[in-house]
Amino acid sequence: MSDPRTIIEALQNCRTVLISVHKSPDGDALGSQIALMLALEKMNKTVTCHNLDPVPQIYRFLPHQARITSGPNVAGRFDAMIVLDSDPPRTGLFAGDYPASTLINIDHHITNPRVWRLEASASATGEMIYRLVQQAGLPIDREMALCLYTSIFTDTGSFRYSNTSPECMRISAALLEAGADPWLVTENVYESNSYNRLKLLGTVLGNMERSPDHRMAWVVVTDDLFQKTGTTSEDTDNFVNYVRSVSGVEVAILFRQTAPKQYKISLRSKGRVDLSSLAQALGGGGHKNAAGSTLDGTLEDIRIKVLGEVAKVIQSQMGN
Ligand code: AMP
Ligand code: MN
Ligand code: MN
């Protein structure tokens, strides 16, 4: 369990702080990152925000997002590095050699090794940042409220997933009171699909497949398809949820090509199958109902392996 006080004490002795989040950053990662940056600046820290991947278009409405730099390298050393919403390796930065004397990890993924600061019961990392900021006695201004509301709103699937808790609703209410504009978030995140993204979705869903017992369904997005439709990986955000939404499907899988012989898999469960251990066994991680990993190999090999493993997990946890 993380104790916000320990983190605040550690930060009080630091002057320069680097904040990074996982590759392919999402709303929770970015909202948490910016809100924490603003809080630390109120504590007179010099803050650098840097991630491997750029901010996706749909999150460019977040205040100060333009200050987040991206790319494989960051120059200089820092008194502290804070990794949010993932374990440090999944930042894809520094290959384990972090440029800071203190490494702090704030995350809510159950598969995160417990040597780092973790709180798996939080709906979103943004919820943990909210508590941290409260504990530090700092006010939540309108910009921080918008960022943290975005974190919780996106990671709970708009307050629909099982991680939607009384606590996250109470915090969200406080964030709305502090001035977060809910429609601004909804419009940017869910009502700003590019034309090409929906064309890609049409093609991808047109090729959806399912197992003979209908409990497993999957889709594939290849580099070739990205090229043909003029889209990129960030356009596949949430695709796997359409696959899970099929009646009878217990586990949905998205295979997305990330290199000629490499695929990112996204796994989603309706709740009767726990996917976190399987994702971890496949070299990734995540939550019970949403997990992922990146695998090396040809699509055929990866598909056979993953579908076989998922079928086994469904069988062992649900029976025939
Ligand atoms: P995604 O399918 O990328 O949306 O991820 C689903 C959930 O699993 C998210 O909470 C991710 O943070 C987590 N996740 C995805 N890929 C990995 C990975 N390689 N390692 C650890 N967690 C992951
Ligand atoms: Mn995330
Ligand atoms: Mn998260």
Side-chain angles (χ1 to χ4, degrees), residues 90-315:
R90 201 158 74 93
T91 58
L93 297 166
F94 310 118
D97 189 11
Y98 302 102
S101 358
T102 305
L103 182 61
I104 296 173
N105 191 194
I106 303 175
D107 185 22
H108 66 129
H109 290 89
I110 198 149
T111 50
N112 191 335
R114 288 179 182 257
V115 290
W116 288 305
R117 305 202 180 281
L118 159 97
E119 189 179 326
S121 63
S123 65
T125 299
E127 190 179 316
M128 301 170 74
I129 301 298
Y130 178 84
R131 278 199 278 272
L132 190 71
V133 173
Q134 291 278 65
Q135 186 83 45
L138 295 168
I140 304 266
D141 65 23
R142 184 186 291 263
E143 291 182 334
M144 287 159 78
L146 180 69
C147 292
L148 294 177
Y149 180 84
T150 302
S151 285
I152 298 172
F153 181 71
T154 53
D155 250 32
T156 57
S158 324
F159 306 112
R160 288 176 297 131
Y161 299 155
S162 54
N163 58 347
T164 305
S165 62
E167 183 59 7
C168 90
M169 293 296 230
R170 275 189 283 269
I171 293 174
S172 299
L175 295 172
L176 294 180
E177 277 164 353
D181 175 353
W183 175 248
L184 181 68
V185 183
T186 308
E187 184 173 21
N188 280 282
V189 178
Y190 298 116
E191 307 280 345
S192 302
N193 287 305
S194 74
Y195 183 77
N196 287 351
R197 169 176 145 90
L198 286 196
K199 298 286 264 188
L200 174 70
L201 177 63
T203 308
V204 166
L205 290 183
N207 292 317
M208 177 170 61
E209 293 180 78
R210 64 181 170 180
S211 59
D213 69 1
H214 296 185
R215 292 192 290 186
M216 185 167 73
W218 61 94
V219 291
V220 178
V221 194
T222 56
D223 278 340
D224 189 43
L225 205 48
F226 284 132
Q227 262 157 28
K228 274 191 196 133
T229 51
T231 52
T232 63
S233 59
E234 71 182 58
D235 290 305
T236 63
D237 201 31
N238 274 326
F239 276 17
V240 67
N241 295 323
Y242 291 95
V243 184
R244 177 173 62 181
S245 76
V246 175
S247 175
V249 166
E250 294 294 340
V251 178
I253 308 143
L254 171 105
F255 297 86
R256 169 167 66 78
Q257 192 166 20
T258 46
K261 281 194 175 168
Q262 189 185 66
Y263 288 80
K264 160 84 208 275
I265 56 161
S266 288
L267 302 164
R268 295 292 184 274
S269 161
K270 275 210 177 103
R272 284 169 285 267
V273 176
D274 182 343
L275 296 167
S276 55
S277 311
L278 171 64
Q280 207 161 21
L282 292 170
H287 310 278
K288 181 172 177 278
N289 295 340
S293 184
T294 300
L295 298 172
D296 291 313
T298 63
L299 176 60
E300 254 339 281
D301 290 349
I302 292 171
R303 182 156 49 179
I304 289 166
K305 181 182 163 93
V306 171
L307 295 182
E309 294 298 322
V310 170
K312 266 194 260 171
V313 172
I314 295 177
Q315 171 74 31

